[in-house]
Amino acid sequence: MSQVVQKCVKKIAVLGVGIMGTAIARNLQKNGFSVSVWNRTYEKAKALTEFGISVYEQVENAVDDADIILTMLKDGNAVLESMNLALPSLSKDTIWIQASTVGIAANERLEAFAAENGLKYFDAPVQGTKGPAEQGKLIIIASGPLLDRDLVQPVFDVIGQRTVWVSEQSGVSSKLKLALNSWVFALTHGIAESLSIAEAMGVNPSLVIDVLKDGPMDNMYFQLKSAAIMSGNYETSFSLDNAIKDAELVVDASKRAGVKVDGVEAGLERFKRAQKVGYGHKDMIATYFAK
């Protein structure tokens, strides 16, 4: 265990242990933190006891005596509901790392909740999906009070390969995450459409990959997602259902900002078409099946 962890943080509670939260909790436990977790579906969390992690059915028990709360839940409503349930067991000045992608309006509500209840709030969504989360190689997009950064940095160092400190002002990180998601969606749909166009015209889609390989338009994401399509492996790294939720957040934020996002709006409709034919629970590259 590092001296920083010993000195600053005794216990961390992770609320929400889906694909991302599970990986985060396990990495924290492996690196010397005392980790407790809570999930809205208790049965999905029980397996974490095998790794020495304390799993609780009631959120107030999970956060009891925690130095840091980390939320990784589906959306802003789920985060706020969970924190309201946890509130009786929270002490003033408890640090709250809000790592879910919730958008601008929800982040404002969560920040207000933190202020009303004396919590130290860090707006810290992450860039990355299942693989980087399991490897502790997420990119942390962090905003929060300068004076308390030394307390949360050890957490970020364990779950991420890099922390980008964006602002002392909460909300800036959530805005940046939406801009980044726009780029991720553009790449995702571009890969899926390119391969599906080739296939529809009777050209082997693998030739698209061969032409792009090692060229200026090649990248790791293209290789991973194109390989998933070619192998028919749509195991969820980031679900299409969640992509729809996040794309809707991008569209809403862009309207607030007065900017047109034609690509994101078209991509959102494409995601919905793939969802309609039964791929919502699969990885978002299943946009390949949009008809």
Side-chain angles (χ1 to χ4, degrees), residues 24-253:
I24 287 170
R26 288 188 60 185
N27 281 326
L28 290 168
Q29 184 75 14
K30 283 191 299 184
N31 284 276
F33 289 87
S34 174
V35 181
S36 62
V37 303
W38 170 86
N39 197 58
R40 287 186 294 175
T41 306
Y42 175 70
E43 296 300 318
K44 293 181 179 179
K46 283 199 304 183
L48 286 171
T49 58
E50 299 176 12
F51 304 98
I53 294 170
S54 301
V55 181
Y56 292 92
E57 290 191 66
Q58 305 299 323
V59 65
E60 57 266 33
N61 298 134
V63 304
D64 191 36
D65 293 329
D67 301 291
I68 294 180
I69 313 296
L70 187 150
T71 47
M72 181 56 83
L73 292 148
K74 180 180 179 181
D75 55 32
N77 289 335
V79 174
L80 187 57
E81 178 184 336
S82 301
M83 291 300 289
N84 267 307
L85 291 171
L87 190 58
S89 296
L90 294 179
S91 302
K92 286 193 174 182
D93 293 329
T94 297
I95 291 172
W96 175 13
I97 299 171
Q98 205 309 99
S100 321
T101 300
V102 298
I104 297 171
N107 182 73
E108 290 171 351
R109 293 194 298 271
L110 298 175
E111 183 182 17
F113 176 91
E116 290 166 6
N117 294 286
L119 307 176
K120 295 179 178 179
Y121 184 73
F122 285 84
D123 172 28
V126 300
Q127 188 73 15
T129 53
K130 181 182 179 182
E134 291 175 342
Q135 298 159 17
K137 292 185 177 180
L138 296 166
I139 306 299
I140 316 300
I141 308 163
S143 294
L146 184 62
L147 290 176
D148 297 303
R149 288 184 184 180
D150 286 348
L151 299 177
V152 298
Q153 191 63 59
V155 176
F156 296 157
D157 290 343
V158 164
I159 67 175
Q161 64 175 324
R162 187 159 54 93
T163 302
V164 179
W165 282 104
V166 178
S167 174
E168 287 190 66
Q169 180 183 355
S170 169
V172 181
S173 289
S174 283
K175 292 175 182 177
L176 178 56
K177 178 64 191 298
L178 297 180
L180 290 164
N181 276 358
S182 173
W183 173 234
V184 172
F185 298 150
L187 289 173
T188 303
H189 293 303
I191 296 165
E193 287 186 349
S194 181
L195 297 189
S196 63
I197 289 168
E199 183 179 47
M201 295 191 302
V203 177
N204 189 331
S206 67
L207 292 171
V208 174
I209 302 169
D210 289 344
V211 171
L212 293 177
K213 186 178 180 181
D214 296 327
M217 292 183 289
D218 193 14
N219 58 62
M220 185 181 296
Y221 190 80
F222 171 77
Q223 291 295 331
L224 287 171
K225 295 305 183 183
S226 62
I229 291 173
M230 296 305 298
S231 66
N233 179 9
Y234 296 93
E235 180 183 353
T236 305
S237 181
F238 186 80
S239 76
L240 194 141
D241 285 337
N242 276 331
I244 288 173
K245 181 265 294 185
D246 284 2
E248 288 173 338
L249 292 175
V250 175
V251 171
D252 177 67

